[in-house]
Amino acid sequence: MKKITDLDIENKKTLIRCDFNVPIKDGQIVDDTRIVGALKTINYCLEHNAKIILLSHLGRIKEEADLAKNNLAPVAKRLSELLNREVHFINATRGPELENAINNMQPQDIILMQNTRYEDLDGKKESSNDPELGKYWASLGDVYINDAFGTIHRAHASNVGIASNLVGKSAFGFLIEKELTALSILDNPERPFIVVLGGAKVADKIGVIENLVTKADKILIGGGMAFTFLKAQGFNIGSSLLDAENIAFCTKILNDYADKIVLPVDVAVSNTFTNDENYRTKDITMLSNDEMGLDIGPKTLDLFESHLKTAASVIWNGPLGVYEFDKYKENTNKLLQFVVDNNIKTILGGGDIVAAASTANLKDKVYHASTGGGATLEYLEGKKLPGIEAIK
Ligand code: AMP
């Protein structure tokens, strides 16, 4: 992995692709976590006297009306407060104002240019990795650092485009380095290596299952997804979530990896998909036609804990129940608490499980919570990610 610490940035015009895709309402930043997350890389560049040129996307730009609400100016202001120094915002993604400002930079100066996706208004130049745009942005700097993990599974001009025009002068920032170091657990996992999978549909996780089932010692399956596996085993799953098109896939996985797959033995059931009705806990053999499983049950929790207790490393993707409803988040939270209390090296792989851990105040207590969403999922699918390959 090519790291920021491998690059000579002293006095260099250093382009940094950040992830400043923060929620903004009425011009106010609602949550600045991502800006705070970028500080380590920016501070390192300040300490090494770089000339810092920041790029980021914000939201999606499809038409003129999207421009104003996705203006990066509030980010420059917040970043400036956090760093306690000037961040010069340039309301352009190209042209003389930007070029002159860059040419006049002193070491430790910071420029943030306008939202890279403003270029999408003209033929999706940023999002389709327009060759001219990547080359142009690369020409503005001497070296390039990519620190935006959330878009690393996409080939955009501001990541792949710039990196492929600054070959040998590009590296990952600290945020991406941390993500990749944690996720590289998959290359050579400490064993027993256990995967926990939950979430809604089998269809969304086929790539993840196919990739991880070959690497894991056990896969513990909960969430809505478990019911298609249980159906494939011949159980009556009542009105639980069923992904009928993928029963055959589940049957195949169960046949090929019988010794690896662990499914729920009991579930919390209700007659309605709401938080209002009281639930009952039932063994998986006992569901009637009008009952749906909305969380794993206590025996399943014990079963999952007994496996996890033995684990040297764990990857967990997807909640084990409908965690949006207070009643059905209970066992996801208990299992999260279990891995934290027992110091089990656990990586939460993206999206909903990270959100669940965050609400339970456990996100910062696990070994690593991977924040990449789609990027994390594609990594878990074993795909080569363009933003990584461009720098590698
Ligand atoms: P995913 O994005 O695939 O990780 O799915 C997360 C979603 O799965 C959440 O919105 C949960 O509500 C949902 N989910 C988890 N367990 C169940 C279940 N037993 N039945 C229906 N949906 C579920």
Side-chain angles (χ1 to χ4, degrees):
M1 193 194 322
K2 184 113 190 218
K3 303 177 193 172
I4 187 172
T5 46
D6 299 330
L7 280 184
D8 175 14
I9 57 170
E10 195 82 27
N11 230 331
K12 297 276 193 315
K13 288 180 277 181
T14 303
L15 299 159
I16 311 179
R17 174 57 162 99
C18 299
D19 181 357
F20 291 147
N21 188 29
V22 290
I24 296 182
K25 219 173 176 195
D26 303 326
Q28 298 296 316
I29 294 170
V30 182
D31 177 356
D32 69 357
T33 310
R34 287 187 169 152
I35 307 176
V36 173
L39 294 179
K40 187 169 176 194
T41 292
I42 296 172
N43 278 324
Y44 176 89
C45 292
L46 284 170
E47 282 156 24
H48 288 79
N49 296 313
K51 299 169 181 171
I52 300 169
I53 306 146
L54 305 172
L55 306 92
S56 174
H57 80 280
L58 175 63
R60 291 219 170 111
I61 308 284
K62 290 188 179 144
E63 50 189 31
E64 291 272 341
D66 296 328
L67 293 175
K69 61 175 185 269
N70 292 304
N71 187 330
L72 265 182
V75 171
K77 185 165 168 277
R78 181 70 191 123
L79 182 62
S80 168
E81 288 162 7
L82 289 165
L83 290 167
N84 200 14
R85 62 167 65 227
E86 190 195 352
V87 174
H88 185 178
F89 180 67
I90 306 282
N91 184 16
T93 51
R94 60 169 84 215
E97 188 195 351
L98 178 65
E99 291 159 25
N100 290 338
I102 291 175
N103 288 333
N104 289 325
M105 286 178 94
Q106 299 300 312
Q108 298 187 330
D109 280 354
I110 304 176
I111 283 176
L112 171 65
M113 72 167 80
Q114 184 55 278
N115 182 357
T116 54
R117 287 194 184 162
Y118 272 38
E119 291 282 344
D120 279 354
L121 210 49
D122 177 18
K124 282 196 150 287
K125 285 201 164 81
E126 153 75 326
S127 297
S128 68
N129 188 16
D130 176 80
E132 180 272 330
L133 182 59
K135 195 168 174 192
Y136 171 70
W137 279 338
S139 76
L140 300 176
D142 304 311
V143 294
Y144 172 66
I145 292 162
N146 187 0
D147 212 15
F149 186 68
T151 47
I152 205 151
H153 59 314
R154 302 275 180 250
H156 291 166
S158 65
N159 61 4
V160 172
I162 301 180
S164 50
N165 281 285
L166 284 170
V167 176
K169 296 173 187 165
S170 296
F172 298 115
F174 290 112
L175 278 178
I176 291 194
E177 185 188 334
K178 186 161 172 258
E179 288 279 1
L180 295 183
T181 304
L183 290 169
S184 69
I185 201 174
L186 279 177
D187 300 340
N188 188 13
E190 291 168 53
R191 296 189 182 277
F193 170 46
I194 296 187
V195 171
V196 183
L197 285 182
K201 284 161 76 186
V202 177
D204 300 337
K205 304 287 167 76
I206 287 182
V208 176
I209 297 169
E210 282 177 331
N211 185 39
L212 296 187
V213 79
T214 61
K215 300 174 195 274
D217 295 297
K218 292 276 177 214
I219 299 202
L220 318 179
I221 301 180
M225 202 165 79
F227 292 97
T228 307
F229 280 90
L230 290 163
K231 176 84 178 171
Q233 280 191 326
F235 290 104
N236 177 14
I237 60 164
S239 55
S240 307
L241 196 65
L242 174 67
D243 190 350
E245 281 174 16
N246 287 304
I247 298 176
F249 169 79
C250 294
T251 306
K252 183 164 174 13
I253 293 286
L254 288 164
N255 285 340
D256 293 352
Y257 301 97
D259 53 331
K260 288 194 181 185
I261 308 289
V262 181
L263 292 172
V265 291
D266 63 346
V267 284
V269 300
S270 171
N271 296 96
T272 55
F273 190 81
T274 64
N275 197 30
D276 310 328
E277 207 184 303
N278 284 338
Y279 68 81
R280 306 166 290 284
T281 301
K282 285 208 162 175
D283 281 1
I284 199 62
T285 50
M286 301 303 286
L287 266 61
S288 46
N289 291 346
D290 57 352
E291 289 175 324
M292 64 181 83
L294 297 174
D295 194 6
I296 59 167
K299 287 185 197 162
T300 307
L301 181 67
D302 283 350
L303 176 67
F304 284 7
E305 286 180 357
S306 71
H307 284 289
L308 287 174
K309 218 163 40 195
T310 69
S313 58
V314 174
I315 286 188
W316 181 348
N317 173 272
L320 304 177
V322 184
Y323 78 100
E324 296 92 336
F325 296 157
D326 277 348
K327 285 198 176 87
Y328 304 115
K329 70 179 178 195
E330 200 181 318
N331 288 317
T332 296
N333 285 356
K334 281 187 181 161
L335 202 64
L336 282 167
Q337 190 69 55
F338 180 83
V339 296
V340 167
D341 290 347
N342 291 278
N343 256 324
I344 300 166
K345 188 173 180 180
T346 302
I347 294 171
L348 304 182
D352 284 303
I353 190 60
V354 175
S358 188
T359 350
N361 283 324
L362 293 169
K363 184 177 143 223
D364 299 328
K365 297 188 179 148
V366 291
Y367 174 74
H368 182 70
S370 181
T371 55
T376 307
L377 210 59
E378 290 199 19
Y379 193 100
L380 297 183
E381 289 173 2
K383 288 189 182 158
K384 284 200 184 308
L385 308 187
I388 299 180
E389 297 306 309
I391 286 183
K392 260 194 187 164

